[in-house]
Amino acid sequence: MQLISIVVPVYNEQENVRYFYQEVRKYMDPLEYLYELIFVDDGSTDDTPRIIEQITQQDVRVSAVILARNFGHQIALTCGLDYAKGDAVITMDGDMQHPPEMLPILLRKWEEGFEVVQTIRSDTQGVSWFKRYTSSMFYRLINVMSNIHINEGGSDFRLMDHKVVETFLRFKERARFIRGLIGDLGYRQTFIEFVAPQRHAGKSKFSLKKMLTFAIDGITSFSKVPLRIALYAGLLLGMMSFLLTLNVVYTKLFTAEAVPGWATLAVSVLLLGGLQLLVVGIIGEYIGRIFEEVKQRPLYWVSDELRSGVKSVAKERIKHVG
Ligand code: UDP
Ligand code: MG
């Protein structure tokens, strides 16, 4: 029988994990698969690790990796993939926004021969106008600026064949935008739309700051276009100043007027100063990323591995830690 791994990063989801576990059972137990449920606790400060530990004691199919601190959703997901042993691996959120009733549908697509089954949120219930708008802007921006295509509403709820997981794990970059990476891997991919319900309990763990970092990670890891802003702006301004010079010379030589424009001067000094700072900022953003990557620090580190309730201190056997 084939083994399916379900990887779930959780961060302060004490009201959700048990319900989530029961819902997964409800939809997975009737299917003809063996499965393992892997929780990755991303440095929760609430009761989440205790509740997960109880579940691992009750059910041998459930295991957990407790990260030493909060590393962020994308890193926690990667950690879970390092541990997953299944013939197919499904990643999903633990807050019920990725409905477990979709699991059989994803698996059916896999049986049909697809190696990546990507879900697309056609709508998210109860999401703020602001998040909806900024999210749609972000996808438009990244698709214009990079040569990959990411569907608006792309989520990290997907099924991957173990081949795809192995390929993905060879990507070692720190700032990772998983949905872009996977979309770009090739393989036989398919898409399923779903409507994301409101989260079961608790609040979204994505602060504005986390969302912004995620968006900038996405753009900078797939596009060099921002680095060219200086080039294009420089060309444009150079051309304008050439035309302006012609105008100044003409006015001086052939008319009786003095060249006007002290206001123009002040404005253009400000404009150029602003533009230069902006471009230096963009270059700094990329250099910062180079700096982060060259340090080659481990992606994450683990404090506990829980399996059938047996606590074991993590051994240095994980691909990404090595
Ligand atoms: N999450 C995580 N680490 C973080 C933030 C979130 O592991 O730093 C988990 C969270 O517990 C949830 C999933 O990632 O299972 C998605 O987070 P959330 O529901 O807060 O994001 P949203 O659905 O609002 O975009
Ligand atoms: Mg959510």
Side-chain angles (χ1 to χ4, degrees):
M1 240 200 306
Q2 283 168 311
L3 175 71
I4 309 299
S5 305
I6 301 174
V7 168
V8 191
V10 283
Y11 176 50
N12 292 342
E13 303 283 6
Q14 58 183 7
E15 305 94 341
N16 290 322
V17 277
R18 192 168 282 283
Y19 181 71
F20 172 81
Y21 160 68
Q22 281 154 0
E23 287 292 301
V24 167
R25 283 198 62 175
K26 186 161 118 195
Y27 293 98
M28 287 303 289
D29 285 356
L31 302 181
E32 289 278 301
Y33 295 108
L34 293 172
Y35 69 92
E36 57 170 1
L37 180 59
I38 305 174
F39 284 108
V40 181
D41 180 78
D42 190 13
S44 295
T45 49
D46 66 356
D47 255 344
T48 308
R50 252 87 58 202
I51 300 169
I52 297 177
E53 186 173 0
Q54 285 166 10
I55 304 174
T56 61
Q57 279 161 0
Q58 292 155 0
D59 188 338
V60 289
R61 294 170 299 185
V62 182
S63 61
V65 187
I66 313 289
L67 295 178
R69 62 161 164 83
N70 180 257
F71 286 90
H73 176 243
Q74 301 284 294
I75 303 285
L77 251 183
T78 309
C79 166
L81 293 175
D82 273 337
Y83 279 83
K85 295 184 290 289
D87 299 299
V89 182
I90 296 170
T91 57
M92 62 196 294
D93 290 354
D95 61 355
M96 303 302 294
Q97 289 198 290
H98 295 163
E101 66 246 42
M102 301 270 296
L103 291 170
I105 305 172
L106 295 180
L107 286 161
R108 209 172 311 135
K109 286 282 174 194
W110 179 57
E111 293 291 350
E112 285 172 21
F114 290 105
E115 292 156 318
V116 177
V117 186
Q118 173 67 56
T119 68
I120 312 263
R121 271 171 294 134
S122 55
D123 191 20
T124 309
Q125 283 163 5
V127 73
S128 70
W129 169 86
F130 178 74
K131 192 161 177 173
R132 201 182 290 258
Y133 181 73
T134 47
S135 156
S136 136
M137 282 286 288
F138 165 71
Y139 283 102
R140 235 174 289 167
L141 198 65
I142 195 166
N143 285 324
V144 168
M145 293 212 295
S146 65
N147 44 17
I148 56 163
H149 180 79
I150 303 177
N151 284 296
E152 189 177 335
S155 75
D156 283 314
F157 182 20
R158 73 172 67 77
L159 177 147
M160 287 174 272
D161 188 86
H162 70 96
K163 278 186 285 189
V164 182
V165 176
E166 275 158 34
T167 306
F168 172 76
L169 290 178
R170 286 163 51 203
F171 286 67
K172 302 292 187 195
E173 64 240 61
R174 298 183 55 76
R176 36 188 61 220
F177 186 65
I178 297 178
R179 60 196 69 161
L181 278 176
I182 302 278
D184 202 32
L185 285 186
Y187 295 102
R188 297 188 59 200
Q189 307 215 2
T190 187
F191 301 91
I192 307 182
E193 287 202 355
F194 76 107
V195 175
Q198 289 196 27
R199 60 166 33 246
H200 177 64
K203 275 209 278 285
S204 171
K205 307 299 179 298
F206 271 82
S207 56
L208 192 60
K209 189 172 150 224
K210 272 192 173 167
M211 254 166 37
L212 204 64
T213 310
F214 184 59
I216 296 177
D217 278 354
I219 289 171
T220 51
S221 52
F222 287 103
S223 173
K224 296 194 210 75
V225 171
L227 287 174
R228 291 201 196 116
I229 287 179
L231 185 69
Y232 297 139
L235 273 176
L236 189 76
L237 287 168
M239 223 125 89
M240 269 164 60
S241 75
F242 178 71
L243 293 178
L244 219 65
T245 312
L246 288 183
N247 175 264
V248 168
V249 171
Y250 174 84
T251 314
K252 176 79 185 161
L253 292 182
F254 302 109
T255 66
E257 291 167 37
V259 181
W262 292 107
T264 327
L265 197 69
V267 169
S268 48
V269 166
L270 283 177
L271 174 78
L272 282 175
L275 212 72
Q276 276 166 356
L277 284 178
L278 174 82
V279 169
V280 170
I282 292 173
I283 296 173
E285 187 64 39
Y286 279 86
I287 292 181
R289 269 145 218 280
I290 298 172
F291 177 61
E292 288 301 326
E293 300 287 349
V294 294
K295 279 191 284 191
Q296 298 234 347
R297 292 191 176 165
L299 262 192
Y300 60 84
W301 39 99
V302 169
S303 81
D304 280 318
E305 290 173 8
L306 310 177
R307 208 169 279 117
S308 316
V310 186
K311 252 193 194 185
S312 65
V313 174
K315 299 186 189 59
E316 299 276 306
R317 63 158 187 79
I318 314 146
K319 290 172 203 144
H320 267 103
V321 173

PDB file of all heavy atoms in Angstrom, residues 152-182:
ATOM      1  N   GLU A 152      -2.807  33.847  -9.372  1.00  0.00           N
ATOM      2  CA  GLU A 152      -3.361  34.601  -8.258  1.00  0.00           C
ATOM      3  C   GLU A 152      -4.162  33.619  -7.414  1.00  0.00           C
ATOM      4  O   GLU A 152      -4.882  32.777  -7.952  1.00  0.00           O
ATOM      5  CB  GLU A 152      -4.255  35.713  -8.794  1.00  0.00           C
ATOM      6  CG  GLU A 152      -4.681  36.650  -7.695  1.00  0.00           C
ATOM      7  CD  GLU A 152      -5.513  37.808  -8.216  1.00  0.00           C
ATOM      8  OE1 GLU A 152      -5.393  38.158  -9.399  1.00  0.00           O
ATOM      9  OE2 GLU A 152      -6.282  38.341  -7.404  1.00  0.00           O
ATOM     10  N   GLY A 153      -4.014  33.714  -6.089  1.00  0.00           N
ATOM     11  CA  GLY A 153      -4.718  32.757  -5.246  1.00  0.00           C
ATOM     12  C   GLY A 153      -3.929  31.474  -5.050  1.00  0.00           C
ATOM     13  O   GLY A 153      -4.411  30.524  -4.449  1.00  0.00           O
ATOM     14  N   GLY A 154      -2.707  31.434  -5.574  1.00  0.00           N
ATOM     15  CA  GLY A 154      -1.864  30.252  -5.341  1.00  0.00           C
ATOM     16  C   GLY A 154      -1.677  30.063  -3.845  1.00  0.00           C
ATOM     17  O   GLY A 154      -1.575  31.031  -3.104  1.00  0.00           O
ATOM     18  N   SER A 155      -1.665  28.826  -3.381  1.00  0.00           N
ATOM     19  CA  SER A 155      -1.521  28.614  -1.946  1.00  0.00           C
ATOM     20  C   SER A 155      -0.500  27.513  -1.724  1.00  0.00           C
ATOM     21  O   SER A 155      -0.029  26.902  -2.674  1.00  0.00           O
ATOM     22  CB  SER A 155      -2.861  28.207  -1.331  1.00  0.00           C
ATOM     23  OG  SER A 155      -3.140  26.865  -1.674  1.00  0.00           O
ATOM     24  N   ASP A 156      -0.159  27.278  -0.474  1.00  0.00           N
ATOM     25  CA  ASP A 156       0.769  26.192  -0.180  1.00  0.00           C
ATOM     26  C   ASP A 156       0.022  24.921   0.203  1.00  0.00           C
ATOM     27  O   ASP A 156       0.499  24.106   0.969  1.00  0.00           O
ATOM     28  CB  ASP A 156       1.769  26.619   0.898  1.00  0.00           C
ATOM     29  CG  ASP A 156       2.836  27.536   0.314  1.00  0.00           C
ATOM     30  OD1 ASP A 156       3.361  27.202  -0.759  1.00  0.00           O
ATOM     31  OD2 ASP A 156       3.121  28.583   0.914  1.00  0.00           O
ATOM     32  N   PHE A 157      -1.177  24.781  -0.318  1.00  0.00           N
ATOM     33  CA  PHE A 157      -1.949  23.557  -0.167  1.00  0.00           C
ATOM     34  C   PHE A 157      -1.773  22.784  -1.477  1.00  0.00           C
ATOM     35  O   PHE A 157      -2.346  23.146  -2.494  1.00  0.00           O
ATOM     36  CB  PHE A 157      -3.419  23.926   0.054  1.00  0.00           C
ATOM     37  CG  PHE A 157      -4.342  22.753   0.278  1.00  0.00           C
ATOM     38  CD1 PHE A 157      -3.870  21.514   0.692  1.00  0.00           C
ATOM     39  CD2 PHE A 157      -5.716  22.920   0.093  1.00  0.00           C
ATOM     40  CE1 PHE A 157      -4.738  20.453   0.907  1.00  0.00           C
ATOM     41  CE2 PHE A 157      -6.595  21.866   0.310  1.00  0.00           C
ATOM     42  CZ  PHE A 157      -6.100  20.637   0.708  1.00  0.00           C
ATOM     43  N   ARG A 158      -0.907  21.768  -1.429  1.00  0.00           N
ATOM     44  CA  ARG A 158      -0.657  21.042  -2.680  1.00  0.00           C
ATOM     45  C   ARG A 158      -0.203  19.627  -2.392  1.00  0.00           C
ATOM     46  O   ARG A 158       0.265  19.312  -1.296  1.00  0.00           O
ATOM     47  CB  ARG A 158       0.394  21.760  -3.524  1.00  0.00           C
ATOM     48  CG  ARG A 158       1.806  21.650  -3.016  1.00  0.00           C
ATOM     49  CD  ARG A 158       2.805  22.224  -3.993  1.00  0.00           C
ATOM     50  NE  ARG A 158       2.656  23.668  -4.128  1.00  0.00           N
ATOM     51  CZ  ARG A 158       3.092  24.533  -3.228  1.00  0.00           C
ATOM     52  NH1 ARG A 158       3.705  24.121  -2.146  1.00  0.00           N
ATOM     53  NH2 ARG A 158       2.907  25.810  -3.393  1.00  0.00           N
ATOM     54  N   LEU A 159      -0.362  18.800  -3.407  1.00  0.00           N
ATOM     55  CA  LEU A 159       0.175  17.453  -3.333  1.00  0.00           C
ATOM     56  C   LEU A 159       1.379  17.377  -4.252  1.00  0.00           C
ATOM     57  O   LEU A 159       1.358  17.917  -5.359  1.00  0.00           O
ATOM     58  CB  LEU A 159      -0.881  16.439  -3.783  1.00  0.00           C
ATOM     59  CG  LEU A 159      -0.444  14.963  -3.822  1.00  0.00           C
ATOM     60  CD1 LEU A 159      -1.639  14.072  -3.483  1.00  0.00           C
ATOM     61  CD2 LEU A 159       0.106  14.545  -5.172  1.00  0.00           C
ATOM     62  N   MET A 160       2.437  16.723  -3.762  1.00  0.00           N
ATOM     63  CA  MET A 160       3.616  16.521  -4.598  1.00  0.00           C
ATOM     64  C   MET A 160       3.991  15.054  -4.571  1.00  0.00           C
ATOM     65  O   MET A 160       4.009  14.432  -3.506  1.00  0.00           O
ATOM     66  CB  MET A 160       4.795  17.309  -4.056  1.00  0.00           C
ATOM     67  CG  MET A 160       4.705  18.798  -4.259  1.00  0.00           C
ATOM     68  SD  MET A 160       6.073  19.616  -3.435  1.00  0.00           S
ATOM     69  CE  MET A 160       5.377  19.852  -1.821  1.00  0.00           C
ATOM     70  N   ASP A 161       4.312  14.539  -5.719  1.00  0.00           N
ATOM     71  CA  ASP A 161       4.858  13.199  -5.785  1.00  0.00           C
ATOM     72  C   ASP A 161       6.231  13.209  -5.105  1.00  0.00           C
ATOM     73  O   ASP A 161       6.896  14.238  -5.063  1.00  0.00           O
ATOM     74  CB  ASP A 161       4.996  12.805  -7.258  1.00  0.00           C
ATOM     75  CG  ASP A 161       5.374  11.348  -7.417  1.00  0.00           C
ATOM     76  OD1 ASP A 161       4.454  10.525  -7.428  1.00  0.00           O
ATOM     77  OD2 ASP A 161       6.577  11.054  -7.517  1.00  0.00           O
ATOM     78  N   HIS A 162       6.676  12.051  -4.600  1.00  0.00           N
ATOM     79  CA  HIS A 162       7.957  12.057  -3.874  1.00  0.00           C
ATOM     80  C   HIS A 162       9.127  12.487  -4.743  1.00  0.00           C
ATOM     81  O   HIS A 162      10.083  13.080  -4.264  1.00  0.00           O
ATOM     82  CB  HIS A 162       8.221  10.680  -3.237  1.00  0.00           C
ATOM     83  CG  HIS A 162       8.537   9.606  -4.227  1.00  0.00           C
ATOM     84  ND1 HIS A 162       9.820   9.251  -4.536  1.00  0.00           N
ATOM     85  CD2 HIS A 162       7.741   8.863  -5.018  1.00  0.00           C
ATOM     86  CE1 HIS A 162       9.798   8.301  -5.472  1.00  0.00           C
ATOM     87  NE2 HIS A 162       8.548   8.050  -5.765  1.00  0.00           N
ATOM     88  N   LYS A 163       9.015  12.269  -6.064  1.00  0.00           N
ATOM     89  CA  LYS A 163      10.069  12.742  -6.981  1.00  0.00           C
ATOM     90  C   LYS A 163      10.202  14.258  -6.908  1.00  0.00           C
ATOM     91  O   LYS A 163      11.300  14.802  -6.895  1.00  0.00           O
ATOM     92  CB  LYS A 163       9.672  12.415  -8.437  1.00  0.00           C
ATOM     93  CG  LYS A 163       9.961  11.016  -8.878  1.00  0.00           C
ATOM     94  CD  LYS A 163       9.651  10.882 -10.363  1.00  0.00           C
ATOM     95  CE  LYS A 163       8.138  10.817 -10.564  1.00  0.00           C
ATOM     96  NZ  LYS A 163       7.721  10.479 -11.926  1.00  0.00           N
ATOM     97  N   VAL A 164       9.044  14.920  -6.889  1.00  0.00           N
ATOM     98  CA  VAL A 164       9.039  16.384  -6.859  1.00  0.00           C
ATOM     99  C   VAL A 164       9.623  16.879  -5.536  1.00  0.00           C
ATOM    100  O   VAL A 164      10.399  17.828  -5.489  1.00  0.00           O
ATOM    101  CB  VAL A 164       7.601  16.906  -7.047  1.00  0.00           C
ATOM    102  CG1 VAL A 164       7.571  18.420  -7.061  1.00  0.00           C
ATOM    103  CG2 VAL A 164       6.991  16.340  -8.310  1.00  0.00           C
ATOM    104  N   VAL A 165       9.259  16.189  -4.455  1.00  0.00           N
ATOM    105  CA  VAL A 165       9.775  16.577  -3.138  1.00  0.00           C
ATOM    106  C   VAL A 165      11.294  16.464  -3.113  1.00  0.00           C
ATOM    107  O   VAL A 165      11.996  17.364  -2.643  1.00  0.00           O
ATOM    108  CB  VAL A 165       9.146  15.709  -2.026  1.00  0.00           C
ATOM    109  CG1 VAL A 165       9.753  16.047  -0.676  1.00  0.00           C
ATOM    110  CG2 VAL A 165       7.640  15.893  -1.990  1.00  0.00           C
ATOM    111  N   GLU A 166      11.803  15.358  -3.675  1.00  0.00           N
ATOM    112  CA  GLU A 166      13.266  15.191  -3.692  1.00  0.00           C
ATOM    113  C   GLU A 166      13.948  16.303  -4.476  1.00  0.00           C
ATOM    114  O   GLU A 166      14.968  16.837  -4.046  1.00  0.00           O
ATOM    115  CB  GLU A 166      13.643  13.824  -4.291  1.00  0.00           C
ATOM    116  CG  GLU A 166      13.602  12.724  -3.243  1.00  0.00           C
ATOM    117  CD  GLU A 166      13.444  11.343  -3.853  1.00  0.00           C
ATOM    118  OE1 GLU A 166      13.986  11.117  -4.957  1.00  0.00           O
ATOM    119  OE2 GLU A 166      12.766  10.495  -3.228  1.00  0.00           O
ATOM    120  N   THR A 167      13.373  16.648  -5.606  1.00  0.00           N
ATOM    121  CA  THR A 167      13.946  17.754  -6.387  1.00  0.00           C
ATOM    122  C   THR A 167      13.901  19.040  -5.587  1.00  0.00           C
ATOM    123  O   THR A 167      14.885  19.774  -5.479  1.00  0.00           O
ATOM    124  CB  THR A 167      13.159  17.943  -7.702  1.00  0.00           C
ATOM    125  OG1 THR A 167      13.131  16.706  -8.386  1.00  0.00           O
ATOM    126  CG2 THR A 167      13.803  19.002  -8.578  1.00  0.00           C
ATOM    127  N   PHE A 168      12.741  19.303  -5.000  1.00  0.00           N
ATOM    128  CA  PHE A 168      12.577  20.542  -4.242  1.00  0.00           C
ATOM    129  C   PHE A 168      13.611  20.647  -3.114  1.00  0.00           C
ATOM    130  O   PHE A 168      14.160  21.716  -2.851  1.00  0.00           O
ATOM    131  CB  PHE A 168      11.156  20.617  -3.663  1.00  0.00           C
ATOM    132  CG  PHE A 168      10.976  21.766  -2.725  1.00  0.00           C
ATOM    133  CD1 PHE A 168      10.833  23.059  -3.221  1.00  0.00           C
ATOM    134  CD2 PHE A 168      10.987  21.567  -1.355  1.00  0.00           C
ATOM    135  CE1 PHE A 168      10.699  24.129  -2.357  1.00  0.00           C
ATOM    136  CE2 PHE A 168      10.850  22.638  -0.489  1.00  0.00           C
ATOM    137  CZ  PHE A 168      10.709  23.915  -0.994  1.00  0.00           C
ATOM    138  N   LEU A 169      13.896  19.524  -2.469  1.00  0.00           N
ATOM    139  CA  LEU A 169      14.816  19.565  -1.324  1.00  0.00           C
ATOM    140  C   LEU A 169      16.250  19.864  -1.744  1.00  0.00           C
ATOM    141  O   LEU A 169      17.099  20.141  -0.909  1.00  0.00           O
ATOM    142  CB  LEU A 169      14.750  18.246  -0.541  1.00  0.00           C
ATOM    143  CG  LEU A 169      13.440  18.033   0.223  1.00  0.00           C
ATOM    144  CD1 LEU A 169      13.429  16.690   0.919  1.00  0.00           C
ATOM    145  CD2 LEU A 169      13.191  19.162   1.222  1.00  0.00           C
ATOM    146  N   ARG A 170      16.515  19.795  -3.030  1.00  0.00           N
ATOM    147  CA  ARG A 170      17.866  20.163  -3.479  1.00  0.00           C
ATOM    148  C   ARG A 170      18.026  21.666  -3.612  1.00  0.00           C
ATOM    149  O   ARG A 170      19.108  22.169  -3.844  1.00  0.00           O
ATOM    150  CB  ARG A 170      18.182  19.471  -4.811  1.00  0.00           C
ATOM    151  CG  ARG A 170      18.449  17.977  -4.594  1.00  0.00           C
ATOM    152  CD  ARG A 170      18.373  17.173  -5.856  1.00  0.00           C
ATOM    153  NE  ARG A 170      19.193  17.732  -6.920  1.00  0.00           N
ATOM    154  CZ  ARG A 170      18.976  17.497  -8.217  1.00  0.00           C
ATOM    155  NH1 ARG A 170      17.980  16.705  -8.577  1.00  0.00           N
ATOM    156  NH2 ARG A 170      19.736  18.029  -9.121  1.00  0.00           N
ATOM    157  N   PHE A 171      16.939  22.407  -3.489  1.00  0.00           N
ATOM    158  CA  PHE A 171      17.017  23.873  -3.525  1.00  0.00           C
ATOM    159  C   PHE A 171      17.333  24.360  -2.126  1.00  0.00           C
ATOM    160  O   PHE A 171      16.551  24.156  -1.204  1.00  0.00           O
ATOM    161  CB  PHE A 171      15.688  24.467  -4.006  1.00  0.00           C
ATOM    162  CG  PHE A 171      15.469  24.291  -5.478  1.00  0.00           C
ATOM    163  CD1 PHE A 171      15.277  23.042  -6.024  1.00  0.00           C
ATOM    164  CD2 PHE A 171      15.476  25.392  -6.327  1.00  0.00           C
ATOM    165  CE1 PHE A 171      15.082  22.871  -7.386  1.00  0.00           C
ATOM    166  CE2 PHE A 171      15.287  25.234  -7.691  1.00  0.00           C
ATOM    167  CZ  PHE A 171      15.089  23.972  -8.216  1.00  0.00           C
ATOM    168  N   LYS A 172      18.494  24.997  -1.977  1.00  0.00           N
ATOM    169  CA  LYS A 172      18.954  25.294  -0.624  1.00  0.00           C
ATOM    170  C   LYS A 172      18.795  26.755  -0.208  1.00  0.00           C
ATOM    171  O   LYS A 172      19.266  27.149   0.840  1.00  0.00           O
ATOM    172  CB  LYS A 172      20.444  24.923  -0.498  1.00  0.00           C
ATOM    173  CG  LYS A 172      20.757  23.467  -0.818  1.00  0.00           C
ATOM    174  CD  LYS A 172      20.169  22.536   0.217  1.00  0.00           C
ATOM    175  CE  LYS A 172      20.626  21.105  -0.016  1.00  0.00           C
ATOM    176  NZ  LYS A 172      19.816  20.141   0.731  1.00  0.00           N
ATOM    177  N   GLU A 173      18.194  27.577  -1.058  1.00  0.00           N
ATOM    178  CA  GLU A 173      18.160  28.995  -0.683  1.00  0.00           C
ATOM    179  C   GLU A 173      17.332  29.237   0.576  1.00  0.00           C
ATOM    180  O   GLU A 173      16.409  28.491   0.880  1.00  0.00           O
ATOM    181  CB  GLU A 173      17.623  29.851  -1.827  1.00  0.00           C
ATOM    182  CG  GLU A 173      16.195  29.581  -2.208  1.00  0.00           C
ATOM    183  CD  GLU A 173      16.091  29.131  -3.649  1.00  0.00           C
ATOM    184  OE1 GLU A 173      16.679  28.080  -3.979  1.00  0.00           O
ATOM    185  OE2 GLU A 173      15.420  29.830  -4.430  1.00  0.00           O
ATOM    186  N   ARG A 174      17.679  30.289   1.296  1.00  0.00           N
ATOM    187  CA  ARG A 174      16.994  30.584   2.557  1.00  0.00           C
ATOM    188  C   ARG A 174      15.678  31.307   2.317  1.00  0.00           C
ATOM    189  O   ARG A 174      14.645  30.899   2.825  1.00  0.00           O
ATOM    190  CB  ARG A 174      17.866  31.483   3.440  1.00  0.00           C
ATOM    191  CG  ARG A 174      19.169  30.879   3.845  1.00  0.00           C
ATOM    192  CD  ARG A 174      19.888  31.838   4.756  1.00  0.00           C
ATOM    193  NE  ARG A 174      19.013  32.182   5.875  1.00  0.00           N
ATOM    194  CZ  ARG A 174      18.789  31.374   6.887  1.00  0.00           C
ATOM    195  NH1 ARG A 174      19.368  30.201   6.952  1.00  0.00           N
ATOM    196  NH2 ARG A 174      17.983  31.748   7.857  1.00  0.00           N
ATOM    197  N   ALA A 175      15.757  32.426   1.576  1.00  0.00           N
ATOM    198  CA  ALA A 175      14.540  33.180   1.300  1.00  0.00           C
ATOM    199  C   ALA A 175      13.795  32.406   0.237  1.00  0.00           C
ATOM    200  O   ALA A 175      14.192  32.386  -0.909  1.00  0.00           O
ATOM    201  CB  ALA A 175      14.896  34.573   0.799  1.00  0.00           C
ATOM    202  N   ARG A 176      12.786  31.684   0.649  1.00  0.00           N
ATOM    203  CA  ARG A 176      12.152  30.808  -0.319  1.00  0.00           C
ATOM    204  C   ARG A 176      10.683  31.156  -0.493  1.00  0.00           C
ATOM    205  O   ARG A 176       9.969  31.447   0.444  1.00  0.00           O
ATOM    206  CB  ARG A 176      12.309  29.343   0.081  1.00  0.00           C
ATOM    207  CG  ARG A 176      12.245  29.106   1.565  1.00  0.00           C
ATOM    208  CD  ARG A 176      12.591  27.679   1.933  1.00  0.00           C
ATOM    209  NE  ARG A 176      13.937  27.320   1.540  1.00  0.00           N
ATOM    210  CZ  ARG A 176      14.255  26.126   1.035  1.00  0.00           C
ATOM    211  NH1 ARG A 176      13.346  25.204   0.900  1.00  0.00           N
ATOM    212  NH2 ARG A 176      15.489  25.864   0.708  1.00  0.00           N
ATOM    213  N   PHE A 177      10.286  31.102  -1.731  1.00  0.00           N
ATOM    214  CA  PHE A 177       8.911  31.389  -2.084  1.00  0.00           C
ATOM    215  C   PHE A 177       8.444  30.112  -2.764  1.00  0.00           C
ATOM    216  O   PHE A 177       8.573  29.929  -3.963  1.00  0.00           O
ATOM    217  CB  PHE A 177       8.900  32.592  -3.026  1.00  0.00           C
ATOM    218  CG  PHE A 177       7.531  33.079  -3.349  1.00  0.00           C
ATOM    219  CD1 PHE A 177       6.735  33.620  -2.362  1.00  0.00           C
ATOM    220  CD2 PHE A 177       7.044  33.004  -4.635  1.00  0.00           C
ATOM    221  CE1 PHE A 177       5.458  34.077  -2.665  1.00  0.00           C
ATOM    222  CE2 PHE A 177       5.777  33.448  -4.938  1.00  0.00           C
ATOM    223  CZ  PHE A 177       4.993  33.993  -3.941  1.00  0.00           C
ATOM    224  N   ILE A 178       7.944  29.194  -1.918  1.00  0.00           N
ATOM    225  CA  ILE A 178       7.775  27.815  -2.354  1.00  0.00           C
ATOM    226  C   ILE A 178       6.836  27.689  -3.555  1.00  0.00           C
ATOM    227  O   ILE A 178       7.112  26.950  -4.493  1.00  0.00           O
ATOM    228  CB  ILE A 178       7.307  26.931  -1.180  1.00  0.00           C
ATOM    229  CG1 ILE A 178       8.412  26.919  -0.104  1.00  0.00           C
ATOM    230  CG2 ILE A 178       6.991  25.522  -1.641  1.00  0.00           C
ATOM    231  CD1 ILE A 178       8.086  26.133   1.130  1.00  0.00           C
ATOM    232  N   ARG A 179       5.747  28.472  -3.557  1.00  0.00           N
ATOM    233  CA  ARG A 179       4.792  28.268  -4.661  1.00  0.00           C
ATOM    234  C   ARG A 179       5.407  28.645  -6.013  1.00  0.00           C
ATOM    235  O   ARG A 179       5.082  28.043  -7.030  1.00  0.00           O
ATOM    236  CB  ARG A 179       3.482  29.012  -4.397  1.00  0.00           C
ATOM    237  CG  ARG A 179       3.577  30.483  -4.246  1.00  0.00           C
ATOM    238  CD  ARG A 179       2.324  31.044  -3.623  1.00  0.00           C
ATOM    239  NE  ARG A 179       2.182  30.641  -2.223  1.00  0.00           N
ATOM    240  CZ  ARG A 179       1.408  31.257  -1.351  1.00  0.00           C
ATOM    241  NH1 ARG A 179       0.686  32.295  -1.728  1.00  0.00           N
ATOM    242  NH2 ARG A 179       1.333  30.853  -0.119  1.00  0.00           N
ATOM    243  N   GLY A 180       6.348  29.623  -5.993  1.00  0.00           N
ATOM    244  CA  GLY A 180       7.041  29.975  -7.232  1.00  0.00           C
ATOM    245  C   GLY A 180       8.008  28.881  -7.651  1.00  0.00           C
ATOM    246  O   GLY A 180       8.064  28.484  -8.818  1.00  0.00           O
ATOM    247  N   LEU A 181       8.754  28.364  -6.667  1.00  0.00           N
ATOM    248  CA  LEU A 181       9.733  27.308  -6.952  1.00  0.00           C
ATOM    249  C   LEU A 181       9.068  26.075  -7.548  1.00  0.00           C
ATOM    250  O   LEU A 181       9.497  25.545  -8.571  1.00  0.00           O
ATOM    251  CB  LEU A 181      10.448  26.896  -5.661  1.00  0.00           C
ATOM    252  CG  LEU A 181      11.604  27.775  -5.196  1.00  0.00           C
ATOM    253  CD1 LEU A 181      12.135  27.271  -3.862  1.00  0.00           C
ATOM    254  CD2 LEU A 181      12.700  27.752  -6.241  1.00  0.00           C
ATOM    255  N   ILE A 182       8.014  25.624  -6.901  1.00  0.00           N
ATOM    256  CA  ILE A 182       7.358  24.395  -7.348  1.00  0.00           C
ATOM    257  C   ILE A 182       6.758  24.577  -8.731  1.00  0.00           C
ATOM    258  O   ILE A 182       6.904  23.717  -9.600  1.00  0.00           O
ATOM    259  CB  ILE A 182       6.240  23.970  -6.356  1.00  0.00           C
ATOM    260  CG1 ILE A 182       6.812  23.772  -4.950  1.00  0.00           C
ATOM    261  CG2 ILE A 182       5.501  22.738  -6.844  1.00  0.00           C
ATOM    262  CD1 ILE A 182       7.467  22.473  -4.692  1.00  0.00           C
TER     263      ILE A 182
END
